[in-house]
Amino acid sequence: MGSHAAPHHLRPPFLLVSVTVVLVAAFLWLPRADGAPARTDACGSTAVRLPRGDCGPFWQVLAEDFNGDLVPLGSFSDCDHHADTSGAYFGGLRGTFRDNWWAYPTGWPDTARSRGREVVGVYHPEDTVSVGPAPDGDGRMFIRMWRPADGGPVHSAAVVPRAVMDMTYGKYSARIKVTKAAPGYKSAWLHYGGGCEMDHPEGEWTGPLSSFHHPCGGGEQGYFPGSDDWTDWHTVSTEWTPGHVRFFVDGRETGHDTRGVPDGPLSWVMQNESALEGPGAAPGSSAQIDITWVAAYAYGWK
């Protein structure tokens, strides 16, 4: 089941130069254990480390590994400036993080409210999102969602890489792990708008990691299971090209759809929120996802 923060639509225009590209050479084929061919992503690897450089028809516009960075809680604040446009920014951030990141502003409701869930969430990037070293020294973005002990709404977080806001087509990749799981928390990283929606990865953090495609103009959603466990490290990628959307987990294609694929500008929303299925988050509970790198690409020639 796909999800999005229904009241907010990402629609400003974006001009992207497109050319005819021969895609056959852009994708490598690797044998599966059963001997059948399996399509890998355009970078041709599982990309455990941050990939740098262009891949097939995609040229890299963002490469962030968070190493050496320290952005404490409270910094992702004052973000309701030019909201939902490529000019959006955080008043509380400085330097490259102000240039590269935005988030849904404090007070916007998450998807659970529009679905009538008993436990709902409200976006609070200022007290859920930070950047710093893990115990092993690896630089990460930490997204720790939590529900107050008094039983109030879940504090959710939806972060948005500014380099690929309002962009048509592209490749979107990250390496992620839920380092603390609890019932009632989920992710739905998505592109949506104008009746179109592509969700990858999506799922409650205590369940399977999956993908969904909701064709533009309606029709049966595409559902693609990808991994059984959010609490392992996974490299997730979405490749969106004219007439095609492909989903990858650890370099392996887990889904492909050609029905009603968007052909206009959308933004990549790394949305994390209260659950839409199963039990709601318990009062006083918390859960966390770590992101060790993010890479994003435009489609076509430079």
Side-chain angles (χ1 to χ4, degrees), residues 138-301:
D138 178 42
R140 299 180 189 174
M141 175 178 280
F142 305 107
I143 298 177
R144 177 183 175 272
M145 297 190 290
W146 54 283
R147 189 178 182 203
D150 65 5
V154 168
H155 286 221
S156 304
V159 293
V160 183
R162 294 185 66 232
V164 289
M165 290 185 76
D166 309 319
M167 190 169 77
T168 304
Y169 309 128
K171 176 178 170 65
Y172 311 88
S173 302
R175 189 154 179 85
I176 62 174
K177 178 181 180 179
V178 170
T179 53
K180 181 181 180 183
Y185 300 90
K186 70 164 294 186
S187 288
W189 292 16
L190 75 166
H191 293 78
Y192 82 96
C196 312
E197 186 170 334
M198 303 174 290
D199 306 271
H200 178 61
E202 178 170 1
E204 274 67 33
W205 288 354
T206 54
L209 181 157
S210 302
S211 308
F212 296 84
H213 177 231
H214 303 264
C216 301
E220 184 178 357
Q221 71 175 7
Y223 164 64
F224 309 100
S227 172
D228 292 333
D229 197 346
W230 285 83
T231 58
D232 291 330
W233 281 109
H234 293 294
T235 299
V236 293
S237 296
T238 298
E239 293 182 1
W240 171 29
T241 57
H244 297 267
V245 58
R246 290 184 167 92
F247 304 121
F248 299 86
V249 177
D250 299 328
R252 176 177 56 90
E253 184 179 286
T254 58
H256 175 210
D257 209 341
T258 60
R259 301 168 304 124
V261 176
D263 60 4
L266 298 172
S267 294
W268 185 28
V269 183
M270 300 161 62
Q271 180 178 260
N272 310 279
E273 58 184 6
S274 53
L276 300 182
E277 298 179 353
S285 67
S286 66
Q288 180 170 310
I289 190 169
D290 291 6
I291 306 168
T292 189
W293 59 255
V294 177
Y297 308 75
Y299 171 78
W301 299 104

Side-chain angles (χ1 to χ4, degrees), residues 39-104:
R39 186 182 293 273
T40 187
D41 68 10
C43 292
S45 73
T46 59
V48 173
R49 298 181 181 275
L50 172 67
R52 294 188 182 274
D54 304 339
C55 298
F58 303 105
W59 53 281
Q60 194 170 56
V61 295
L62 176 66
E64 176 60 74
D65 64 9
F66 306 111
N67 289 333
D69 297 315
L70 184 62
V71 185
L73 281 176
S75 301
F76 288 81
S77 60
D78 187 25
C79 55
D80 201 2
H81 298 277
H82 306 295
D84 272 0
T85 76
S86 58
Y89 68 91
F90 280 103
L93 287 178
R94 297 292 181 268
T96 59
F97 277 89
R98 179 167 172 156
D99 294 339
N100 291 339
W101 295 95
W102 183 66
Y104 283 177

